[in-house]
């Protein structure tokens, strides 16, 4: 992610399945194998209890990693700790459950990282604003204090991008790091921020407490297209290209499992999805299970049904990166993502694909 903080530090290490893929290389298995020869892959997620990242754990709970013959050891990014994408890039884990835009950032730094399966076409965020703020859209940001998870985070980048799209300069409003979960709620409650950009289930908690309402929808693919000018590739699986090239078989197995998960999500209700998630994800000090289901029903549209990078998505991500100065050079999109494995996964199971795939030019 661009540094996505965890809403509640309730998970340390879980068991999950995942892998990565690229465009060339031979078929080796994952980082290690058990006695039966099943490849094992380590994947860190940027906040596994957030709704935007639910597919990684859901795939495990549905038994899809096991079905496709891969063991994934899942961990979650901790508040104030190393980001999932950085842990992947440094070799601490094999894969990262994070936003696609990091591949663009890494390329600008001379590092080869790629996105092997795209799970969402939106950031999954909402701009939650107090009634007193008078904010109805990004055009109203001038003079306001806007909460983001952290300065330099994905929510920070998106906040600045939305403002610029409405002609509001970043010098015309104040950005405040408010974290996520209870700290984001408190920022609105205590009047420290006029708005905060956050995800479910924090959005539901803010609405339930009556301290804010959604002013900008970045939680669904259609909402992202309206606010950002195109689909924004959010949750994905990222891996170093050299790792992908030497672990093609493991990568395909992980993508097979996640593509099957995305089709399952598309065909089931929010309540059915919620029932397959850990109780601690869907019911805690912020939300009830009913709140969680309602929130997922509203924002389920962020998830892509087939794991394919949508046409125009990479260009939207690059536009946000260039706006905030994170990337100033040209980008070779063809090296930042591949649809090869998702297309094979869909074909293998006879799934119908509905996402228009991005080409080599994004």
């Amino acid at each position: 992610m661009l540094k996505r903080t965890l809403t509640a530090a309730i998970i340390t290490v879980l068991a999950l399945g995942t892998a990565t893929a690229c465009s060339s290389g031979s078929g080796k298995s994952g980082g290690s194998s058990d006695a039966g020869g099943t490849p094992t892959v380590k994947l860190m997620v940027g906040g596994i209890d957030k709704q935007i990242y639910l597919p990684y754990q859901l795939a495990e709970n549905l038994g899809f990693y096991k079905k496709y013959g891969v063991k994934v050891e899942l961990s979650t990014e901790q508040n104030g700790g190393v980001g999932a994408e950085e842990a992947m890039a440094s070799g601490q884990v094999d894969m990262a459950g994070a936003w696609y835009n990091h591949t663009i950032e890494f390329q600008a730094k001379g590092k080869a990282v790629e996105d092997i399966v795209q799970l969402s076409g939106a950031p999954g965020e909402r701009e939650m604003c107090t009634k007193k703020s008078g904010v109805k859209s990004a055009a109203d940001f001038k003079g306001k204090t806007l909460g983001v998870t952290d300065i330099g985070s994905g929510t920070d980048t998106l906040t600045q991008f939305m403002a610029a799209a409405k002609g509001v300069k970043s010098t015309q409003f104040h950005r405040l790091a408010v974290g996520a979960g209870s700290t984001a709620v408190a920022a609105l409650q205590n009047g420290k921020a006029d708005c905060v950009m956050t995800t479910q289930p924090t959005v539901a908690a803010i609405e339930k407490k009556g301290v804010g309402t959604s002013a900008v929808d970045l939680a669904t693919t259609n909402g992202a297209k309206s606010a950002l000018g195109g689909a924004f590739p959010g949750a994905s699986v990222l891996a170093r290209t050299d790792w992908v090239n030497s672990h093609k078989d493991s990568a395909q197995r992980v993508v097979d499992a996640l593509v099957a998960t995305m089709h399952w999500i598309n065909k089931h209700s929010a309540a059915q999805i919620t029932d397959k998630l850990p109780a601690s994800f869907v019911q805690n000090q912020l939300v009830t299970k009913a709140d969680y289901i309602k929130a997922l029903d509203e924002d389920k549209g962020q998830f892509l049904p087939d794991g394919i990078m949508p046409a125009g998505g990479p260009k939207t991500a690059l536009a946000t990166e260039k706006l905030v100065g994170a990337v100033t050079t040209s980008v070779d999109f063809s090296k930042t993502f591949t649809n090869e494995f998702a297309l094979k996964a869909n074909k293998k199971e006879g799934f119908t694909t509905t996402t228009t795939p991005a080409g080599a030019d994004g």
Side-chain angles (χ1 to χ4, degrees):
M1 332 161 318
L2 248 176
K3 185 69 180 161
R4 319 210 19 102
T5 49
L6 182 62
T7 57
I10 55 175
I11 307 295
T12 52
V13 177
L14 303 171
L16 177 100
T18 206
T20 22
C22 176
S23 48
S24 63
S26 59
K28 295 184 180 180
S29 63
S32 61
S33 299
D34 62 19
T38 300
T40 298
V41 177
K42 295 180 180 180
L43 179 136
M44 180 183 285
V45 180
I48 196 165
D49 62 338
K50 293 183 177 182
Q51 277 192 7
I52 60 173
Y53 291 136
L54 71 82
Y56 309 102
Q57 182 63 39
L58 181 60
E60 170 70 15
N61 291 9
L62 291 173
F64 287 162
Y65 295 120
K66 182 177 182 180
K67 176 181 178 180
Y68 291 100
V70 62
K71 178 182 179 181
V72 179
E73 295 179 353
L74 181 69
S75 60
T76 187
E77 176 180 310
Q78 296 294 333
N79 211 359
V82 63
E85 71 282 355
E86 294 296 342
M88 173 274 301
S90 65
Q92 296 177 50
V93 295
D94 303 312
M95 303 178 180
W99 286 3
Y100 158 76
N101 63 299
H102 293 298
T103 66
I104 294 174
E105 296 171 352
F106 281 124
Q107 186 177 120
K109 297 175 183 177
K111 298 180 180 180
V113 170
E114 61 187 87
D115 175 343
I116 63 166
V117 60
Q118 191 59 47
L119 309 183
S120 68
E125 309 277 350
R126 287 184 182 273
E127 191 72 37
M128 303 299 293
C129 302
T130 65
K131 184 176 181 180
K132 184 180 178 181
S133 71
V135 174
K136 301 298 182 183
S137 74
D140 303 316
F141 282 177
K142 188 174 181 180
K144 307 301 180 183
T145 295
L146 307 176
V148 298
T149 53
D150 198 4
I151 301 302
S153 67
T155 54
D156 187 16
T157 300
L158 288 171
T159 297
Q160 294 179 70
F161 184 78
M162 289 194 305
K166 297 295 185 179
V168 181
K169 299 178 181 178
S170 60
T171 55
Q172 294 178 304
F173 56 89
H174 177 60
R175 290 137 51 219
L176 178 69
V178 299
S182 59
T183 54
V185 176
L188 291 177
Q189 231 170 359
N190 301 333
K192 292 184 177 179
D194 296 294
C195 304
V196 299
M197 184 177 287
T198 191
T199 64
Q200 300 286 9
T202 307
V203 166
I206 290 171
E207 292 176 333
K208 188 173 183 178
K209 290 178 179 293
V211 297
T213 57
S214 177
V216 182
D217 168 22
L218 297 178
T220 63
T221 302
N222 286 337
K225 288 178 179 178
S226 176
L228 303 175
F232 183 95
S236 64
V237 171
L238 310 182
R240 299 182 312 280
T241 296
D242 61 347
W243 191 95
V244 172
N245 284 339
S246 61
H247 297 83
K248 299 278 283 185
D249 179 64
S250 294
Q252 187 65 63
R253 290 169 187 263
V254 172
V255 175
D256 287 346
L258 286 170
V259 165
T261 301
M262 302 318 294
H263 282 282
W264 193 93
I265 289 172
N266 189 49
K267 295 176 182 178
H268 289 76
S269 69
Q272 290 171 318
I273 295 168
T274 300
D275 283 341
K276 293 295 184 179
L277 294 171
S280 58
F281 285 23
V282 305
Q283 187 170 352
N284 50 51
Q285 71 273 23
L286 286 178
V287 293
T288 65
K289 186 175 181 179
D291 294 331
Y292 189 96
I293 292 172
K294 180 177 181 293
L296 180 56
D297 189 51
E298 291 175 355
D299 294 353
K300 188 168 171 265
Q302 69 190 275
F303 296 115
L304 298 171
D306 44 30
I308 293 172
M309 173 65 77
K315 291 181 179 179
T316 304
L318 177 59
T320 65
E321 293 294 326
K322 286 191 170 183
L323 177 74
V324 299
V327 175
T328 57
T329 59
S330 60
V331 171
D332 183 348
F333 287 126
S334 69
K335 294 180 179 180
T336 64
F337 74 93
T338 176
N339 279 322
E340 173 190 349
F341 298 97
L343 289 171
K344 285 183 178 179
N346 281 284
K347 184 177 181 180
K348 179 178 182 178
E349 294 295 343
F351 293 135
T352 299
T353 59
T354 55
T355 302
T356 300
D361 62 351

